[in-house]
């Protein structure tokens, strides 16, 4: 399956092979993401104009776009250069004017001679009580009126590309679609009544009414499904190849796991037990584990991950836990060290900060199994880091860690099992788009003893009260976080700078009580400030969002988030999860600047009403869209031209089930439907998937 099938060549030729598209237009079209005729098939109209023929413009609610047959009357030339050239016309009931600016009179005299009949279509407006159609969109002879579509599709445009051009180009592209075998499961297709691919393309580009433009219109839904199916086939192929890669069975009789479990002051939740069983089974299998552990703030992911690390050690091997930042790596070390001591296991940390003899000592120990569990940043990937027997890699908090990076990790040679942990509850449609190649364990219960966090909305006008409240909390021996949106004063955005807030709070609460952490600080300073807060030396930590992920200070009971309306919901939920980790009741204060927009208020109220991260994430998705939710740049999300991740979550789930089933019945895609699916992968530019088939 080396090259693209010949029947698709015309669709993947250059855009200027289409009639009427020159090199210049082709350059303009690239701005719409159109590089080949194939891309035009998936550039669908975004709205439409009703152009059905009516007998008269009389009684129409103006302004409106109307299409009528008229008899051409007298011409009134413009009085000034570039002025209005008027042609009086009469339809079945009434008269109006066609108006042209910068017109050449002789041209219109010839084209629209008095007494001739035409069909005109365009926007009709009243000027000084007279109905006028300025620069009609269409003027055709009555005999040719069938050329005008009753409903004209309106395409997204860019500079240098007109509606007329898009209309012609999309039709030219559609005419190049060969007869395609069906890749959709026949029962699925019949159940929802989708047309064949060729018919779907034609129908989507020739809507007959507004309903045909809805995402739920059969032709559009089918094309959206084709995109989702191709994407899920790619993920399912990656997954089946991962699964066929020989793994290493890591068996353990559970003595280390049991030792840690029995030492805990609480019982694991049902969800934690389930996840541990799933992971143990994956690790014992001959194939490689590729699992996502998804759990809300405080659902106890760390314990589950540690059980997996111990299983690797029980099997006689080593394991690594990778954290995205230095601070988090050190924090994992602190929280896991006591558990490791209970289990009698050697745990060490390796980050970019380890230098010289210290680093060499650690590398030697790793190479001779002297270290059983390593916690580190991506410094672990450096060439001189060798493990005696690495069996498991746990990757923490990696929404910045797409499918490609996961494959990289697998390519590190040894048959390493991979467990990815994320604390961001991801709505189902997005987690399928992003992690569709993985098996998923969800922790959807909170461990006992975690107290609910009280959330309040307070206007920034009541700042003094908030500071008084902090003073009382500090006197009671507790600590607080104060999150600011920006580091330096910016004139454009009146968000209070962290530096300024730090000085004000220090003045109000006293020297040495308030610490500061922000993104521009050198790492060593940042860690030192965090360490002072963790140790309880400073009572208030003023911070930019660097504290969002994973920081654990049980004594902190108040989280103040300033200008909360400027943050995303998922981010606010993550930050709120930094408190409520100890015995005492905790509070999160969302400070907003009034007036709040309707949307802003709604978002903050969702947070006040619920602590369920999945509910919050779904709301966030509906309100902001997929790209913003994860930050498009680092989302690892595919870009779909027709499918809409927010509104078509259900279709994505069907596509995943279908893709996995097709591949389990026909792993090499050699059946009739399998071959059709290969064609779909080529059509959807999934070359990566095609490489996987040939590799597999």
């Amino acid at each position: 399956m080396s090259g693209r099938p010949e029947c698709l060549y015309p669709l993947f030729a250059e855009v200027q092979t289409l009639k009427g598209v020159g090199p210049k237009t082709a350059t303009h079209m690239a701005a719409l993401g159109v590089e080949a005729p194939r891309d035009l098939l998936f550039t669908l109209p975004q709205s439409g104009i009703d152009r059905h023929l009516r007998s008269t413009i009389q009684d129409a609610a103006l302004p409106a776009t109307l299409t009528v047959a008229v008899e051409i009357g007298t011409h009134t030339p413009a009085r000034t250069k570039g002025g209005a050239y008027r042609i009086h016309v009469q339809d079945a009931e009434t008269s109006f004017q066609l108006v042209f600016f910068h017109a050449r009179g002789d041209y219109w005299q010839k084209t629209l001679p008095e007494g001739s009949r035409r069909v005109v279509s365009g926007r009709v407006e009243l000027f000084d009580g007279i109905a006028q159609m300025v620069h009609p969109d269409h003027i055709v002879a009555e005999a040719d009126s069938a050329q005008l579509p009753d409903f004209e599709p309106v395409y997204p445009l860019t500079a240098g590309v007109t509606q007329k051009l898009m209309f012609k180009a999309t039709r030219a592209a559609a005419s190049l679609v060969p007869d395609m075998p069906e890749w959709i499961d026949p029962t699925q297709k019949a159940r929802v009544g989708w047309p064949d691919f060729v018919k779907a393309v034609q129908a989507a580009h020739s809507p007959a009414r507004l309903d045909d433009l809805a995402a739920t219109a059969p032709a559009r839904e089918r094309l959206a499904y084709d995109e989702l199916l191709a994407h899920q086939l790619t993920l399912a192929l990656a997954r089946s190849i991962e699964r066929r890669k020989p793994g290493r069975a890591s068996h353990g009789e559970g003595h280390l796991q049991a030792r840690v479990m029995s030492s805990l002051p609480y019982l694991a939740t049902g969800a934690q037990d389930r996840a541990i069983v799933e992971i143990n089974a994956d690790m014992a299998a001959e194939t490689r584990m590729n699992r996502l552990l998804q759990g809300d703030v405080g659902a106890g992911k760390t314990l589950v991950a540690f059980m997996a690390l111990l299983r690797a050690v029980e099997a006689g091997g080593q394991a690594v836990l990778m954290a995205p930042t230095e601070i988090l790596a050190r924090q994992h070390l602190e929280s896991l060290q006591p558990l490791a001591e209970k289990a009698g296991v050697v745990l060490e940390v390796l980050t970019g900060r380890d230098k010289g003899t210290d680093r060499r000592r650690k590398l030697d120990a790793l190479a001779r199994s002297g270290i059983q569990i390593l916690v580190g940043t991506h410094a672990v990937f450096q060439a001189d880091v060798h493990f005696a027997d690495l069996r498991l890699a746990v990757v923490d908090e990696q929404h910045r860690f797409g499918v490609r990076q996961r494959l990289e990790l697998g390519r590190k040679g040894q048959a390493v099992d991979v467990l990815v942990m994320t604390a961001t509850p991801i709505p189902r449609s997005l987690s399928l788009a992003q992690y569709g190649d993985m098996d998923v364990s969800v922790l959807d219960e909170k461990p006992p003893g975690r107290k609910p966090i009280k959330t309040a909305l307070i206007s920034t006008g009541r700042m003094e009260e908030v500071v008084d409240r902090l003073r009382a909390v500090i006197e009671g021996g507790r600590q607080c976080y104060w999150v600011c949106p920006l580091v330096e004063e910016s004139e454009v955005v009146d968000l209070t700078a962290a530096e300024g807030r730090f000085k004000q709070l220090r003045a109000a609460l006293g020297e040495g009580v308030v610490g500061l952490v922000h993104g521009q600080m050198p790492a060593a300073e940042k860690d030192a400030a965090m360490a002072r807060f963790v140790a309880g030396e400073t009572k208030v930590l003023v911070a930019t969002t660097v504290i969002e992920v994973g920081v654990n200070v049980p004594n902190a009971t108040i989280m103040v988030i300033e200008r909360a309306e400027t943050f995303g919901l998922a981010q606010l939920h993550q930050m709120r999860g930094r408190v409520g980790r100890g015995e005492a009741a905790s509070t999160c204060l969302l400070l907003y600047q009034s007036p709040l927009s309707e949307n802003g208020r709604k978002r903050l109220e969702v947070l006040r009403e619920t602590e369920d991260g999945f509910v919050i994430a779904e709301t966030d998705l509906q309100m902001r869209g997929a790209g913003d939710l994860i930050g498009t740049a680092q989302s690892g999300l595919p870009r779909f031209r027709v499918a809409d991740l927010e509104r078509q979550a259900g279709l994505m789930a069907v596509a995943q089930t279908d893709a996995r089933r097709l591949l389990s019945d026909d792993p090499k895609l050699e059946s009739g439907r399998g071959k059709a699916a290969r064609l779909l992968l080529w059509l959807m530019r999934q070359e990566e998937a095609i490489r996987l088939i040939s590799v597999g």
Side-chain angles (χ1 to χ4, degrees):
M1 168 113 195
S2 48
R4 181 179 288 125
E6 218 164 300
C7 65
L8 296 180
Y9 285 0
L11 284 173
F12 283 87
E14 294 195 354
V15 151
Q16 60 236 51
T17 52
L18 295 175
K19 202 173 150 210
V21 179
K24 201 163 169 193
T25 307
T27 314
H28 290 314
M29 280 188 163
L32 287 170
V34 173
E35 279 152 21
R38 171 251 172 239
D39 301 323
L40 282 165
L41 302 181
F42 299 98
T43 306
L44 298 187
Q46 56 195 19
S47 62
I49 300 168
D50 182 354
R51 293 207 191 270
H52 78 271
L53 190 62
R54 43 197 302 153
S55 58
T56 176
I57 66 163
Q58 203 161 340
D59 304 329
L62 301 183
T65 297
L66 304 172
T67 306
V68 290
V70 296
E71 182 171 312
I72 306 293
T74 54
H75 291 231
T76 310
R79 287 200 291 275
T80 58
K81 194 176 176 206
Y85 183 97
R86 300 170 192 278
I87 302 175
H88 302 267
V89 297
Q90 174 80 36
D91 67 22
E93 305 274 333
T94 184
S95 61
F96 60 99
Q97 300 177 346
L98 305 183
V99 180
F100 302 91
F101 294 98
H102 301 285
R104 302 200 313 280
D106 53 344
Y107 171 78
W108 289 115
Q109 291 284 0
K110 272 203 215 70
T111 319
L112 300 177
E114 201 169 324
S116 61
R117 291 194 55 84
R118 296 286 187 273
V119 170
V120 294
S121 184
R123 189 172 166 82
V124 180
E125 302 190 49
L126 281 178
F127 285 101
D128 296 335
I130 298 164
Q132 302 187 340
M133 188 184 283
V134 179
H135 288 275
D137 302 327
H138 300 277
I139 303 176
V140 296
E142 236 178 334
D144 300 332
S145 67
Q147 288 176 7
L148 288 183
D150 278 351
F151 187 81
E152 185 179 11
V154 174
Y155 287 92
L157 299 179
T158 179
V161 179
T162 62
Q163 282 302 340
K164 242 178 205 142
L165 203 142
M166 281 298 280
F167 188 82
K168 282 204 180 110
T170 47
R171 267 119 204 95
S175 71
L176 301 175
V177 178
D179 239 354
M180 304 261 204
E182 187 52 79
W183 47 74
I184 293 179
D185 175 48
T187 46
Q188 160 73 8
K189 188 177 166 215
R191 193 172 54 78
V192 283
W194 287 336
D196 293 344
F197 181 76
V198 182
K199 286 207 177 76
V201 168
Q202 288 160 348
H205 285 281
S206 316
R209 53 186 184 283
L210 273 174
D211 297 356
D212 296 343
L213 297 165
T216 48
R220 285 201 169 218
E221 197 170 68
R222 148 127 215 181
L223 295 177
Y225 186 75
D226 291 335
E227 281 190 308
L228 299 175
L229 181 62
H231 174 65
Q232 286 298 336
L233 271 170
T234 305
L235 291 175
L237 274 162
R239 175 175 185 259
S240 66
I241 286 185
E242 273 302 311
R243 300 187 133 199
R244 289 209 295 276
K245 279 188 189 155
R248 299 181 48 207
S250 293
H251 294 285
E253 74 307 356
H255 66 287
L256 297 179
Q257 289 184 340
R259 209 180 289 167
V260 171
M261 280 300 198
S262 62
S263 74
L264 296 174
Y266 53 84
L267 284 173
T269 64
Q272 284 175 314
D273 286 336
R274 253 197 325 275
I276 292 167
V277 168
E278 289 168 346
I279 291 165
N280 282 343
D282 277 2
M283 289 179 71
E286 296 292 338
T287 49
R288 208 174 289 191
M289 171 165 79
N290 189 23
R291 186 170 283 278
L292 175 71
L293 176 62
Q294 194 182 3
D296 205 348
V297 181
K301 287 180 299 299
T302 314
L303 178 66
V304 174
F306 191 64
M307 289 297 140
L309 297 166
L310 287 179
R311 176 50 52 108
V313 177
E314 288 175 357
Q318 294 165 297
V320 63
L321 169 60
M322 286 178 54
T325 64
E326 180 94 31
I327 290 179
L328 279 173
R330 305 224 165 254
Q331 195 173 296
H332 276 309
L333 178 74
E334 280 155 31
S335 65
L336 296 178
Q337 197 75 61
L339 297 178
E341 280 164 14
K342 295 249 167 46
V345 169
V346 183
L347 177 78
E348 255 299 2
V349 68
L350 180 70
T351 67
R353 202 176 301 163
D354 290 302
K355 300 275 189 285
T357 43
D358 203 26
R359 180 178 161 86
R360 269 200 304 283
R361 180 181 60 74
K362 289 182 183 178
L363 294 184
D364 288 348
L366 267 182
R368 57 175 169 72
S369 285
I371 296 173
Q372 290 158 299
I373 297 177
L374 183 67
V375 176
T377 53
H378 34 236
V380 172
F381 274 148
Q382 286 162 353
D384 60 347
V385 180
H386 299 289
F387 292 84
D389 178 14
L390 180 64
R391 285 170 177 260
L392 168 72
V394 178
V395 183
D396 178 21
E397 196 48 73
Q398 291 303 43
H399 33 237
R400 298 171 183 74
F401 200 76
V403 179
R404 195 155 298 130
Q405 288 92 328
R406 292 205 292 279
L407 289 171
E408 282 299 299
L409 187 63
R411 288 197 192 113
K412 219 168 151 51
Q414 316 92 330
V416 179
D417 284 329
V418 177
L419 178 67
V420 177
M421 293 199 289
T422 174
T424 316
I426 308 166
R428 179 126 192 266
S429 56
L430 297 194
S431 74
L432 289 181
Q434 220 181 343
Y435 299 110
D437 59 323
M438 306 184 82
D439 299 299
V440 182
S441 297
V442 178
L443 299 182
D444 47 11
E445 301 169 45
K446 284 243 190 341
R450 283 206 60 134
K451 298 199 169 52
I453 300 167
K454 194 172 160 241
T455 302
L457 274 55
I458 299 178
S459 142
T460 43
R462 294 168 56 193
M463 193 69 82
E464 307 243 312
E465 292 173 45
V466 175
V467 176
D468 289 342
R469 171 95 186 258
L470 286 197
R471 196 175 284 115
V473 169
I474 293 167
E475 281 163 10
R478 297 290 173 190
Q479 291 168 276
C480 318
Y481 293 101
W482 188 298
V483 178
C484 304
L486 277 184
V487 184
E488 278 136 7
E489 291 290 2
S490 134
E491 289 163 1
V492 197
V493 198
D494 59 341
L495 302 175
T496 322
E499 313 259 340
R501 179 61 62 215
F502 166 67
K503 291 186 183 116
Q504 281 167 322
L505 289 173
R506 195 175 53 186
L509 302 169
E511 283 291 328
V513 175
V514 188
L516 173 67
V517 184
H518 60 70
Q520 318 291 310
M521 279 178 156
E525 268 179 53
K526 201 185 297 183
D527 283 6
M530 290 295 291
R532 282 196 296 278
F533 185 66
V534 172
E537 293 163 29
T538 48
K539 303 298 180 194
V540 178
L541 185 65
V542 175
T544 53
T545 53
V546 288
I547 56 141
E548 186 186 320
V549 184
V551 187
N552 192 17
V553 182
N555 191 41
T557 58
I558 289 202
M559 166 65 71
V560 179
I561 302 174
E562 203 171 332
R563 293 301 304 273
E565 75 276 12
T566 61
F567 292 104
L569 267 177
Q571 219 179 1
L572 289 167
H573 176 63
Q574 288 291 319
M575 293 192 285
R576 170 170 66 183
R578 299 299 113 227
V579 295
R581 294 176 161 250
E583 295 303 299
S586 294
T587 309
C588 175
L589 303 179
L590 302 174
L591 299 187
Y592 64 89
Q593 182 150 333
S594 41
L596 263 183
S597 68
E598 184 50 38
N599 227 348
R601 174 169 300 283
K602 203 162 121 194
R603 292 210 342 247
L604 297 184
E605 281 172 353
V606 169
L607 275 171
R608 188 172 62 194
E609 301 313 316
T610 179
E611 275 192 73
D612 182 327
F614 287 93
V615 172
I616 289 168
E618 288 290 353
T619 312
D620 209 6
L621 180 61
Q622 286 157 17
M623 296 183 77
R624 293 203 304 161
D628 295 339
L629 191 63
I630 312 190
T632 313
Q634 42 122 350
S635 68
L637 279 179
R639 298 276 173 97
F640 297 117
R641 294 184 83 104
V642 181
D644 175 336
L645 278 183
E646 286 98 279
R647 290 177 194 81
Q648 296 182 311
L651 276 188
M652 178 68 99
V654 176
Q656 185 191 54
T657 313
D658 196 12
R660 289 186 175 186
R661 197 173 44 227
L662 174 59
L663 279 171
S664 79
D665 297 346
D666 179 12
K668 291 210 150 67
L669 297 182
E670 287 161 341
S671 64
R673 190 180 159 212
K675 290 192 171 117
R678 289 175 174 234
L679 203 58
L680 168 69
L681 290 170
W682 278 115
L683 180 67
M684 294 299 181
R685 301 187 187 277
Q686 297 284 351
E687 280 83 357
E688 181 81 4
I690 289 158
R691 230 194 52 241
L692 288 172
I693 302 177
S694 20
V695 171

